């Protein structure tokens, strides 16, 4: 089933009552923004997501994309929806005002992005990658490149892509072989093949701006020898309009399990003209600016798909009559009760609800620290950057793992009907499955967290993240809840400190369990904090439901952390002692 409503009441509670948006903006010196404006933007974003984008989701999945005569066509209505999106200024939300952007805080934009993902994940992908490209160009490109591309990308007149992966080089970018030859005029000739390129071509915009990783002739081996280039589909002319076609093409469109309405392209660069972004051999650092933003945005994709599945499951559970509830008749005028009253169905719905709302809080806390990293004092920016670095792999992996679990639950609530395409529930499962793979698989996220962000960092990011969550604990008024939250946070910190001395092999073996343990623990802290704030909320339904949902999370979901904690200290023998030949018995 498609997204049928927007969780605007939850956003309003989280932004105003829990996050304290007015005080947050005042502390950053942007008091002209407030929670009232944020609520209006969220409401208008919800209207666009529901009225324009969501109705295209099912049909887009059925129709898919086409490649004919070297041109990509997206499903009916997609390009028109994009034009409405850019005309209404949604694409420019986060862009710099120096290039006609709106410079909105992330805390205003992130709710809109979540709802777009819930409405139509395939459609959202192109705009998401453009935002990430804008960020990379803004932070690393020369003034000439900025003046040529930024305003067009921010407005949405042009779109952006990320070109990393090659057939033989996925996670291991040290194997990357695309070449960049200087042409003597400040530009470079780019030759190579890239795969899995989201929106490598489409019929939405007049130009597509590719950010491409490639190697210069005398570059060092490995990842230290990678540079980043901006390579347009059409080379801008003297009036900064699309001019001569560049020497690049779409080789094919991938046939995929899900996100069928998003064109995932094989890109061929045959001596295409490009320009260097950042310094020579600094491409990986530049690309990580884009990639880290995209990793958080992919986490939002998991959250959006989960929300859409939950809405479908809840609607169905309220309408489907089947048997009598064991706790007593709930529908005396009917022959059976709605299945929402069945304990097992309530368990499934609350598993969805408690994790979705926990992830939503995590995403908005992340957005708050993005605001601080952009607008705070120098000391605040350093602190915020440490928090964001630590939370990025957690957001990407946990939210997408959660997305697959909850969309599977959505199918289960429907029973056999969930397996039938006409209901739309199986599409959420197919669409969200990719989120655990691209922008770095969730296993890579776990290795990044326990390796770069914990053990190799020496605990600085850990300390900053503890401080950020401890601030939330200190604001809890109920002493019993505060003590429980503090004990949970302190246990997580102590367990994390135990991991600091792990050797690389042990850390790699424990990585996925450490990430899951961290996610369940920190979201637990968020639930104690949210439930406390809900007691002061004017919305009586939220005031009551948040406490009850917190209790379910603590009793049924948070306990998962114990198995992950035990596993992360189980050592390497049970995983690595088996010989390669012993994986089968042939």
């Amino acid at each position: 089933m498609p997204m049928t409503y927007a969780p605007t009441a939850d956003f309003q509670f989280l932004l105003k009552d829990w996050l304290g948006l007015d005080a947050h903006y005042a502390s950053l010196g942007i008091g002209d923004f407030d929670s009232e404006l944020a609520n209006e933007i969220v409401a208008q974003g919800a209207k666009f997501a529901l009225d324009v984008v969501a109705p295209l989701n099912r049909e887009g999945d059925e129709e898919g994309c086409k490649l004919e005569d070297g041109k990509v066509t997206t499903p009916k209505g997609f390009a028109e929806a994009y034009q409405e999106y850019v005309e209404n200024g949604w694409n420019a939300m986060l862009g710099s005002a120096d290039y006609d952007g709106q410079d909105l805080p992330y805390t205003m934009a992130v709710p809109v992005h979540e709802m777009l993902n819930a409405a139509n994940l395939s459609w959202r992908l192109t705009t998401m990658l453009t935002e990430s490209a804008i960020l990379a160009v803004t932070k690393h490109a020369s003034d000439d490149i900025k003046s040529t591309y930024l305003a067009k990308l921010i407005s949405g007149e042009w779109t952006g892509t990320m070109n990393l992966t090659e057939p033989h080089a996925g996670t291991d970018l040290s194997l990357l072989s695309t070449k960049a030859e200087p042409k003597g005029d400040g530009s470079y000739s780019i030759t190579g093949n890239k795969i899995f390129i989201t929106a490598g071509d489409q019929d939405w915009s007049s130009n597509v701006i590719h950010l491409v990783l490639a190697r210069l002739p005398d570059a060092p081996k490995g990842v230290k020898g990678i540079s980043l280039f901006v390579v347009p589909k059409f080379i801008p002319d003297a009036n900064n309009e699309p001019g001569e076609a560049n020497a690049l093409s779409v080789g094919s469109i991938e046939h995929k399990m899900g996100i069928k309405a998003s064109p995932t392209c094989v890109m061929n660069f045959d001596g295409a003209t490009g320009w260097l972004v950042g310094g020579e051999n600094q491409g990986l650092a530049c690309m990580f600016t884009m990639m880290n933003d995209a990793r958080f945005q992919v986490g939002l994709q998991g959250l959006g798909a989960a929300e859409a599945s939950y809405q479908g499951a809840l609607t169905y559970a309220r309408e489907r009559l089947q048997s009598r509830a064991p706790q007593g008749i709930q529908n005396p005028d009917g022959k059976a009760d709605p299945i929402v009253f069945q304990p097992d169905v309530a368990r499934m719905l609350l598993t969805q609800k408690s994790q979705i709302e926990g992830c939503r809080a995590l995403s908005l806390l992340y957005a708050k620290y993005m605001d601080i990293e952009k607008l705070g004092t120098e000391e605040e920016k350093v602190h915020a950057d440490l928090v964001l670095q630590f939370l990025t792999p957690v957001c990407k992996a946990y939210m997408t793992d959660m997305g697959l679990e909850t969309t599977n639950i959505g199918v289960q609530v429907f029973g056999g009907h969930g397996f039938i395409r006409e209901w739309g529930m199986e599409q959420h499962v197919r669409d969200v499955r990719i989120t655990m793979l691209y922008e770095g698989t969730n296993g890579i996220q776990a290795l990044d967290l326990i390796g770069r962000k914990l053990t190799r960092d020496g605990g600085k990011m850990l300390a900053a993240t503890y401080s950020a969550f401890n601030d939330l604990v200190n604001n809890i008024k109920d002493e019993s809840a505060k003590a429980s939250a503090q004990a949970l946070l302190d246990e997580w910190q102590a367990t994390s400190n135990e991991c600091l001395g792990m050797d690389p092999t042990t850390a790699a073996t424990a990585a996925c369990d450490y990430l899951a343990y961290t996610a369940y623990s920190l979201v637990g802290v968020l639930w104690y904090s949210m439930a406390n704030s809900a007691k002061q909320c004017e919305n009586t339904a939220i005031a009551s439901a948040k406490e009850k949902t917190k209790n379910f999370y603590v009793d049924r979901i948070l306990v998962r952390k114990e198995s992950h904690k035990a596993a992360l200290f189980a050592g390497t023998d049970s995983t690595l002692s088996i010989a390669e030949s012993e994986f089968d018995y042939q």
Side-chain angles (χ1 to χ4, degrees):
M1 295 178 72
M3 177 185 181
T4 56
Y5 64 90
T8 50
D10 198 30
F11 281 126
Q12 183 173 355
F13 158 72
L14 289 170
L15 292 172
K16 181 180 179 181
D17 299 310
W18 179 66
L19 211 57
L21 210 60
D22 294 320
H24 170 59
Y25 290 160
S27 70
L28 296 176
I30 51 172
D32 47 334
F33 292 110
D34 57 24
S35 57
E36 184 177 349
L37 176 60
N39 288 336
E40 178 61 25
I41 289 173
V42 170
Q44 292 302 315
K47 180 175 175 59
F48 181 83
L50 286 168
D51 296 349
V52 180
V53 183
L56 303 173
N57 189 49
R58 169 70 187 281
E59 289 75 11
D61 180 63
E62 295 287 342
E63 182 180 346
C65 300
K66 298 180 178 66
L67 174 63
E68 296 176 346
D69 299 324
K71 296 181 180 180
V72 173
T73 303
T74 57
K76 181 181 178 181
F78 272 50
E80 291 79 6
Y82 179 71
Q83 293 309 313
E84 186 172 343
Y85 182 78
V86 299
E87 287 169 6
N88 290 335
W90 294 112
N91 204 76
M93 282 192 293
L94 294 172
S96 169
D98 293 339
Y99 298 91
D100 301 324
Q102 298 175 22
D103 260 337
L104 291 185
Y106 286 93
T107 38
M108 287 189 180
V110 164
V112 177
H113 293 160
E114 183 201 316
M115 290 186 288
L116 291 173
N117 286 318
N120 192 327
L121 202 156
S122 286
W123 186 90
R124 165 62 182 154
L125 273 167
T126 298
T127 60
M128 184 205 90
L129 266 298
T130 299
E131 290 162 9
S132 297
I134 290 167
L135 189 62
V137 171
T138 299
K139 289 197 172 184
H140 301 292
S142 66
D143 289 341
D144 284 346
I145 290 177
K146 289 179 183 178
S147 64
T148 301
Y149 295 102
L150 267 184
K152 299 278 192 178
L153 287 168
I154 288 170
S155 71
E157 186 176 342
W158 296 349
T159 57
T161 74
M162 182 193 306
N163 287 248
L164 289 79
T165 307
E166 299 178 3
H168 57 283
T171 298
D172 188 358
L173 290 174
S174 67
L175 301 176
L176 185 145
S177 63
T178 298
K179 298 178 181 179
E181 299 279 349
K183 296 175 69 172
D185 60 357
S187 67
Y188 297 79
S189 176
I190 311 297
T191 302
N193 305 101
K194 300 288 185 176
I195 61 171
F196 303 157
I197 308 306
T198 298
D201 192 36
Q202 31 71 14
D203 52 355
W204 296 14
S205 61
S206 62
N207 208 352
V208 182
I209 312 306
H210 301 283
L211 290 182
V212 183
L213 289 181
R215 292 186 182 279
L216 293 165
D218 298 322
K221 294 181 179 180
V223 295
K224 294 181 179 180
I226 298 173
S227 299
L228 180 64
F229 301 86
V230 57
V231 186
K233 177 181 178 180
F234 297 102
I235 298 173
D237 63 18
N239 297 316
N240 207 28
E241 296 296 332
E244 177 186 354
N246 212 343
L248 56 87
S249 62
V250 179
S252 63
I253 296 177
E254 303 287 1
H255 300 280
K256 310 185 295 288
M257 173 183 176
I259 55 167
K260 295 183 177 182
S262 173
T264 306
C265 301
V266 174
M267 298 300 303
N268 300 321
F269 297 90
D270 301 306
T273 301
W275 288 266
L276 185 66
V277 175
E280 292 185 0
N281 306 320
Q282 298 299 312
L284 197 59
C286 297
M287 184 59 83
F288 262 108
T289 295
M290 187 177 188
M291 192 182 300
N292 284 331
D293 178 70
R295 285 174 172 174
F296 172 67
Q297 294 289 343
V298 169
L300 288 181
Q301 291 175 18
L303 175 55
E307 173 65 27
S309 181
Y310 173 65
Q311 289 185 17
L314 179 59
T315 299
Y316 185 79
R318 284 169 166 166
E319 296 174 352
R320 174 70 167 171
L321 302 180
Q322 195 79 39
S323 305
R324 290 298 186 186
Q327 63 269 38
I329 294 174
Q330 305 294 316
N331 179 31
D333 296 330
K335 294 182 179 181
D337 293 326
I339 63 172
V340 71
F341 294 108
Q342 291 290 333
D344 190 54
V345 174
R347 174 193 62 80
M348 289 190 285
L349 292 172
L350 279 166
T351 298
Q352 290 181 303
K353 176 180 171 65
S354 65
Q355 294 195 82
I356 289 167
E357 293 182 13
C359 284
R360 182 171 294 135
L362 178 61
S363 74
L364 292 177
L365 182 69
Y366 190 98
K368 174 183 176 180
Y369 278 92
M370 285 198 290
D371 288 347
I372 296 171
E373 197 272 336
K374 180 180 179 181
L375 298 168
T377 65
E378 288 306 310
E379 183 178 354
E380 289 171 338
K381 288 180 178 180
V382 170
H383 174 71
D385 181 64
L386 292 172
V387 175
L388 293 171
Q389 286 191 62
F390 192 91
L391 290 181
T392 294
V394 177
C395 288
K396 195 278 184 184
Y398 176 61
M399 288 185 185
T400 57
D401 283 347
M402 180 277 300
L404 183 64
E405 178 186 0
T406 55
T407 54
N408 267 315
I409 289 173
V411 170
Q412 194 72 20
V413 170
F414 273 70
H417 292 291
F419 200 67
I420 304 302
R421 291 192 70 172
E422 67 183 83
W423 289 94
M425 297 302 287
E426 54 82 38
Q427 183 189 340
H428 299 311
V429 180
R430 289 188 290 106
D431 283 350
V432 82
R433 187 61 184 87
I434 185 60
T435 64
M436 303 167 71
L437 303 174
Y438 56 22
E439 303 304 340
T441 66
N442 287 1
I444 294 297
Q445 305 305 314
L447 289 170
D448 179 49
L449 178 65
I450 202 169
R452 291 188 183 92
K453 308 302 171 59
L454 182 66
T455 56
R456 269 180 269 173
D457 175 68
K460 294 192 292 294
M461 294 181 196
L462 171 67
T465 305
Y466 176 88
S467 174
F469 279 78
N470 202 49
D471 288 343
L472 296 173
V473 173
N474 288 335
N475 287 328
I476 296 175
K477 304 300 182 185
D478 181 271
E479 290 302 321
S480 176
K482 184 175 183 177
S484 296
Q486 190 70 64
L488 176 58
L489 184 62
D490 288 347
E491 181 209 312
W492 168 73
Q493 184 191 43
T495 302
S496 299
N497 281 327
E498 286 187 63
C499 298
L500 286 175
M502 284 183 175
D503 63 84
T505 302
T506 303
T509 308
C512 285
D513 285 299
Y514 176 70
L515 190 146
Y517 169 79
T518 291
Y520 287 126
S521 298
L522 294 183
V523 171
V525 175
L526 295 180
W527 264 114
Y528 282 113
S529 176
M530 280 191 290
N532 172 76
S533 296
K535 294 177 181 179
Q536 286 77 48
C537 180
E538 295 177 359
N539 187 320
T540 55
I542 286 179
S544 173
K546 286 291 183 185
E547 178 68 21
K548 294 174 182 177
T549 308
K550 180 265 291 181
N551 291 339
F552 179 89
Y553 183 89
V554 170
D555 289 347
R556 299 287 184 129
I557 305 298
L558 181 61
V559 290
R560 297 178 182 182
K561 73 178 177 65
E562 296 303 326
S563 63
H564 289 293
K565 182 179 179 180
L568 75 90
F569 291 118
T572 63
D573 286 352
S574 59
T575 301
L576 300 180
S577 63
I578 189 168
E580 182 273 331
S581 61
E582 293 174 319
F583 277 104
D584 60 25
Y585 303 105
Q586 297 183 31

PDB file of all heavy atoms in Angstrom, residues 250-274:
ATOM      1  N   VAL A 250      25.592   6.149 -21.865  1.00  0.00           N
ATOM      2  CA  VAL A 250      25.022   5.099 -21.018  1.00  0.00           C
ATOM      3  C   VAL A 250      25.131   3.783 -21.766  1.00  0.00           C
ATOM      4  O   VAL A 250      24.560   3.621 -22.849  1.00  0.00           O
ATOM      5  CB  VAL A 250      23.549   5.404 -20.684  1.00  0.00           C
ATOM      6  CG1 VAL A 250      22.956   4.286 -19.825  1.00  0.00           C
ATOM      7  CG2 VAL A 250      23.428   6.741 -19.965  1.00  0.00           C
ATOM      8  N   GLY A 251      25.864   2.836 -21.188  1.00  0.00           N
ATOM      9  CA  GLY A 251      26.017   1.537 -21.839  1.00  0.00           C
ATOM     10  C   GLY A 251      24.788   0.668 -21.683  1.00  0.00           C
ATOM     11  O   GLY A 251      24.390  -0.041 -22.610  1.00  0.00           O
ATOM     12  N   SER A 252      24.158   0.737 -20.517  1.00  0.00           N
ATOM     13  CA  SER A 252      22.956  -0.048 -20.247  1.00  0.00           C
ATOM     14  C   SER A 252      22.327   0.429 -18.954  1.00  0.00           C
ATOM     15  O   SER A 252      22.925   1.210 -18.209  1.00  0.00           O
ATOM     16  CB  SER A 252      23.294  -1.546 -20.146  1.00  0.00           C
ATOM     17  OG  SER A 252      24.167  -1.780 -19.052  1.00  0.00           O
ATOM     18  N   ILE A 253      21.105  -0.034 -18.708  1.00  0.00           N
ATOM     19  CA  ILE A 253      20.424   0.184 -17.435  1.00  0.00           C
ATOM     20  C   ILE A 253      20.360  -1.152 -16.715  1.00  0.00           C
ATOM     21  O   ILE A 253      19.997  -2.175 -17.311  1.00  0.00           O
ATOM     22  CB  ILE A 253      19.000   0.749 -17.637  1.00  0.00           C
ATOM     23  CG1 ILE A 253      19.054   2.127 -18.287  1.00  0.00           C
ATOM     24  CG2 ILE A 253      18.263   0.830 -16.308  1.00  0.00           C
ATOM     25  CD1 ILE A 253      17.683   2.701 -18.573  1.00  0.00           C
ATOM     26  N   GLU A 254      20.717  -1.158 -15.434  1.00  0.00           N
ATOM     27  CA  GLU A 254      20.699  -2.401 -14.676  1.00  0.00           C
ATOM     28  C   GLU A 254      19.261  -2.882 -14.452  1.00  0.00           C
ATOM     29  O   GLU A 254      18.344  -2.087 -14.223  1.00  0.00           O
ATOM     30  CB  GLU A 254      21.373  -2.199 -13.304  1.00  0.00           C
ATOM     31  CG  GLU A 254      22.808  -1.694 -13.371  1.00  0.00           C
ATOM     32  CD  GLU A 254      23.798  -2.738 -13.842  1.00  0.00           C
ATOM     33  OE1 GLU A 254      23.380  -3.872 -14.146  1.00  0.00           O
ATOM     34  OE2 GLU A 254      25.002  -2.410 -13.908  1.00  0.00           O
ATOM     35  N   HIS A 255      19.060  -4.195 -14.514  1.00  0.00           N
ATOM     36  CA  HIS A 255      17.776  -4.821 -14.200  1.00  0.00           C
ATOM     37  C   HIS A 255      17.836  -5.258 -12.739  1.00  0.00           C
ATOM     38  O   HIS A 255      18.638  -6.116 -12.378  1.00  0.00           O
ATOM     39  CB  HIS A 255      17.508  -5.997 -15.135  1.00  0.00           C
ATOM     40  CG  HIS A 255      17.466  -5.596 -16.577  1.00  0.00           C
ATOM     41  ND1 HIS A 255      16.359  -5.021 -17.169  1.00  0.00           N
ATOM     42  CD2 HIS A 255      18.404  -5.658 -17.553  1.00  0.00           C
ATOM     43  CE1 HIS A 255      16.608  -4.769 -18.442  1.00  0.00           C
ATOM     44  NE2 HIS A 255      17.851  -5.135 -18.698  1.00  0.00           N
ATOM     45  N   LYS A 256      16.976  -4.686 -11.909  1.00  0.00           N
ATOM     46  CA  LYS A 256      17.167  -4.771 -10.470  1.00  0.00           C
ATOM     47  C   LYS A 256      15.985  -5.433  -9.758  1.00  0.00           C
ATOM     48  O   LYS A 256      14.873  -5.506 -10.277  1.00  0.00           O
ATOM     49  CB  LYS A 256      17.373  -3.364  -9.891  1.00  0.00           C
ATOM     50  CG  LYS A 256      18.429  -2.528 -10.614  1.00  0.00           C
ATOM     51  CD  LYS A 256      18.669  -1.197  -9.931  1.00  0.00           C
ATOM     52  CE  LYS A 256      17.480  -0.267  -9.941  1.00  0.00           C
ATOM     53  NZ  LYS A 256      17.195   0.310 -11.276  1.00  0.00           N
ATOM     54  N   MET A 257      16.246  -5.840  -8.531  1.00  0.00           N
ATOM     55  CA  MET A 257      15.230  -6.399  -7.652  1.00  0.00           C
ATOM     56  C   MET A 257      14.182  -5.344  -7.289  1.00  0.00           C
ATOM     57  O   MET A 257      12.989  -5.636  -7.206  1.00  0.00           O
ATOM     58  CB  MET A 257      15.917  -6.921  -6.383  1.00  0.00           C
ATOM     59  CG  MET A 257      14.997  -7.386  -5.280  1.00  0.00           C
ATOM     60  SD  MET A 257      15.987  -7.894  -3.845  1.00  0.00           S
ATOM     61  CE  MET A 257      14.690  -8.278  -2.660  1.00  0.00           C
ATOM     62  N   GLY A 258      14.645  -4.131  -7.033  1.00  0.00           N
ATOM     63  CA  GLY A 258      13.751  -3.050  -6.627  1.00  0.00           C
ATOM     64  C   GLY A 258      14.215  -1.729  -7.207  1.00  0.00           C
ATOM     65  O   GLY A 258      15.032  -1.692  -8.129  1.00  0.00           O
ATOM     66  N   ILE A 259      13.712  -0.630  -6.654  1.00  0.00           N
ATOM     67  CA  ILE A 259      13.918   0.741  -7.165  1.00  0.00           C
ATOM     68  C   ILE A 259      13.958   0.748  -8.702  1.00  0.00           C
ATOM     69  O   ILE A 259      14.832   1.340  -9.321  1.00  0.00           O
ATOM     70  CB  ILE A 259      15.165   1.425  -6.551  1.00  0.00           C
ATOM     71  CG1 ILE A 259      16.456   0.623  -6.727  1.00  0.00           C
ATOM     72  CG2 ILE A 259      14.929   1.739  -5.094  1.00  0.00           C
ATOM     73  CD1 ILE A 259      17.728   1.425  -6.413  1.00  0.00           C
ATOM     74  N   LYS A 260      12.980   0.079  -9.300  1.00  0.00           N
ATOM     75  CA  LYS A 260      12.965  -0.097 -10.754  1.00  0.00           C
ATOM     76  C   LYS A 260      12.692   1.205 -11.497  1.00  0.00           C
ATOM     77  O   LYS A 260      13.002   1.314 -12.688  1.00  0.00           O
ATOM     78  CB  LYS A 260      11.934  -1.159 -11.130  1.00  0.00           C
ATOM     79  CG  LYS A 260      12.290  -2.542 -10.614  1.00  0.00           C
ATOM     80  CD  LYS A 260      11.291  -3.581 -11.074  1.00  0.00           C
ATOM     81  CE  LYS A 260      11.706  -4.970 -10.611  1.00  0.00           C
ATOM     82  NZ  LYS A 260      10.768  -6.017 -11.100  1.00  0.00           N
ATOM     83  N   ALA A 261      12.100   2.172 -10.819  1.00  0.00           N
ATOM     84  CA  ALA A 261      11.806   3.441 -11.475  1.00  0.00           C
ATOM     85  C   ALA A 261      12.970   4.417 -11.420  1.00  0.00           C
ATOM     86  O   ALA A 261      12.871   5.535 -11.931  1.00  0.00           O
ATOM     87  CB  ALA A 261      10.571   4.081 -10.844  1.00  0.00           C
ATOM     88  N   SER A 262      14.070   4.008 -10.787  1.00  0.00           N
ATOM     89  CA  SER A 262      15.288   4.824 -10.763  1.00  0.00           C
ATOM     90  C   SER A 262      16.276   4.237 -11.769  1.00  0.00           C
ATOM     91  O   SER A 262      16.601   3.046 -11.698  1.00  0.00           O
ATOM     92  CB  SER A 262      15.915   4.820  -9.368  1.00  0.00           C
ATOM     93  OG  SER A 262      17.172   5.463  -9.368  1.00  0.00           O
ATOM     94  N   PRO A 263      16.774   5.060 -12.721  1.00  0.00           N
ATOM     95  CA  PRO A 263      17.703   4.525 -13.726  1.00  0.00           C
ATOM     96  C   PRO A 263      19.099   4.318 -13.143  1.00  0.00           C
ATOM     97  O   PRO A 263      19.815   5.280 -12.856  1.00  0.00           O
ATOM     98  CB  PRO A 263      17.701   5.601 -14.811  1.00  0.00           C
ATOM     99  CG  PRO A 263      17.333   6.869 -14.101  1.00  0.00           C
ATOM    100  CD  PRO A 263      16.446   6.475 -12.957  1.00  0.00           C
ATOM    101  N   THR A 264      19.475   3.069 -12.943  1.00  0.00           N
ATOM    102  CA  THR A 264      20.809   2.714 -12.460  1.00  0.00           C
ATOM    103  C   THR A 264      21.647   2.351 -13.685  1.00  0.00           C
ATOM    104  O   THR A 264      21.412   1.326 -14.314  1.00  0.00           O
ATOM    105  CB  THR A 264      20.738   1.546 -11.472  1.00  0.00           C
ATOM    106  OG1 THR A 264      19.812   1.858 -10.434  1.00  0.00           O
ATOM    107  CG2 THR A 264      22.099   1.260 -10.873  1.00  0.00           C
ATOM    108  N   CYS A 265      22.627   3.184 -14.001  1.00  0.00           N
ATOM    109  CA  CYS A 265      23.278   3.133 -15.314  1.00  0.00           C
ATOM    110  C   CYS A 265      24.707   2.590 -15.266  1.00  0.00           C
ATOM    111  O   CYS A 265      25.428   2.795 -14.285  1.00  0.00           O
ATOM    112  CB  CYS A 265      23.319   4.530 -15.932  1.00  0.00           C
ATOM    113  SG  CYS A 265      21.692   5.288 -16.159  1.00  0.00           S
ATOM    114  N   VAL A 266      25.076   1.937 -16.344  1.00  0.00           N
ATOM    115  CA  VAL A 266      26.483   1.679 -16.657  1.00  0.00           C
ATOM    116  C   VAL A 266      26.961   2.852 -17.495  1.00  0.00           C
ATOM    117  O   VAL A 266      26.393   3.142 -18.550  1.00  0.00           O
ATOM    118  CB  VAL A 266      26.648   0.364 -17.439  1.00  0.00           C
ATOM    119  CG1 VAL A 266      28.097   0.190 -17.885  1.00  0.00           C
ATOM    120  CG2 VAL A 266      26.196  -0.824 -16.598  1.00  0.00           C
ATOM    121  N   MET A 267      28.000   3.559 -17.024  1.00  0.00           N
ATOM    122  CA  MET A 267      28.476   4.765 -17.705  1.00  0.00           C
ATOM    123  C   MET A 267      29.816   4.507 -18.382  1.00  0.00           C
ATOM    124  O   MET A 267      30.737   3.947 -17.771  1.00  0.00           O
ATOM    125  CB  MET A 267      28.627   5.919 -16.710  1.00  0.00           C
ATOM    126  CG  MET A 267      27.331   6.358 -16.031  1.00  0.00           C
ATOM    127  SD  MET A 267      26.065   6.932 -17.187  1.00  0.00           S
ATOM    128  CE  MET A 267      26.941   8.260 -18.019  1.00  0.00           C
ATOM    129  N   ASN A 268      29.918   4.914 -19.633  1.00  0.00           N
ATOM    130  CA  ASN A 268      31.163   4.814 -20.391  1.00  0.00           C
ATOM    131  C   ASN A 268      31.728   6.211 -20.625  1.00  0.00           C
ATOM    132  O   ASN A 268      31.035   7.085 -21.162  1.00  0.00           O
ATOM    133  CB  ASN A 268      30.900   4.141 -21.744  1.00  0.00           C
ATOM    134  CG  ASN A 268      30.331   2.747 -21.594  1.00  0.00           C
ATOM    135  OD1 ASN A 268      30.735   1.999 -20.697  1.00  0.00           O
ATOM    136  ND2 ASN A 268      29.400   2.383 -22.461  1.00  0.00           N
ATOM    137  N   PHE A 269      32.962   6.417 -20.212  1.00  0.00           N
ATOM    138  CA  PHE A 269      33.664   7.680 -20.448  1.00  0.00           C
ATOM    139  C   PHE A 269      34.771   7.418 -21.467  1.00  0.00           C
ATOM    140  O   PHE A 269      35.724   6.682 -21.187  1.00  0.00           O
ATOM    141  CB  PHE A 269      34.233   8.222 -19.130  1.00  0.00           C
ATOM    142  CG  PHE A 269      33.169   8.553 -18.112  1.00  0.00           C
ATOM    143  CD1 PHE A 269      32.737   7.604 -17.200  1.00  0.00           C
ATOM    144  CD2 PHE A 269      32.585   9.815 -18.082  1.00  0.00           C
ATOM    145  CE1 PHE A 269      31.749   7.889 -16.269  1.00  0.00           C
ATOM    146  CE2 PHE A 269      31.601  10.115 -17.159  1.00  0.00           C
ATOM    147  CZ  PHE A 269      31.181   9.160 -16.249  1.00  0.00           C
ATOM    148  N   ASP A 270      34.617   7.988 -22.633  1.00  0.00           N
ATOM    149  CA  ASP A 270      35.527   7.708 -23.757  1.00  0.00           C
ATOM    150  C   ASP A 270      36.325   8.957 -24.121  1.00  0.00           C
ATOM    151  O   ASP A 270      36.140   9.549 -25.173  1.00  0.00           O
ATOM    152  CB  ASP A 270      34.726   7.218 -24.963  1.00  0.00           C
ATOM    153  CG  ASP A 270      33.931   5.960 -24.650  1.00  0.00           C
ATOM    154  OD1 ASP A 270      34.551   4.996 -24.179  1.00  0.00           O
ATOM    155  OD2 ASP A 270      32.705   5.958 -24.846  1.00  0.00           O
ATOM    156  N   GLY A 271      37.209   9.359 -23.200  1.00  0.00           N
ATOM    157  CA  GLY A 271      37.943  10.602 -23.404  1.00  0.00           C
ATOM    158  C   GLY A 271      37.073  11.825 -23.136  1.00  0.00           C
ATOM    159  O   GLY A 271      37.248  12.875 -23.763  1.00  0.00           O
ATOM    160  N   ALA A 272      36.149  11.690 -22.182  1.00  0.00           N
ATOM    161  CA  ALA A 272      35.263  12.804 -21.832  1.00  0.00           C
ATOM    162  C   ALA A 272      36.059  13.913 -21.149  1.00  0.00           C
ATOM    163  O   ALA A 272      37.022  13.659 -20.419  1.00  0.00           O
ATOM    164  CB  ALA A 272      34.151  12.318 -20.922  1.00  0.00           C
ATOM    165  N   THR A 273      35.646  15.141 -21.381  1.00  0.00           N
ATOM    166  CA  THR A 273      36.324  16.289 -20.781  1.00  0.00           C
ATOM    167  C   THR A 273      35.827  16.513 -19.356  1.00  0.00           C
ATOM    168  O   THR A 273      34.619  16.550 -19.099  1.00  0.00           O
ATOM    169  CB  THR A 273      36.082  17.558 -21.614  1.00  0.00           C
ATOM    170  OG1 THR A 273      36.578  17.346 -22.935  1.00  0.00           O
ATOM    171  CG2 THR A 273      36.789  18.755 -20.988  1.00  0.00           C
ATOM    172  N   GLY A 274      36.793  16.646 -18.439  1.00  0.00           N
ATOM    173  CA  GLY A 274      36.455  16.911 -17.045  1.00  0.00           C
ATOM    174  C   GLY A 274      37.411  17.906 -16.433  1.00  0.00           C
ATOM    175  O   GLY A 274      38.455  18.240 -17.009  1.00  0.00           O
TER     176      GLY A 274
END
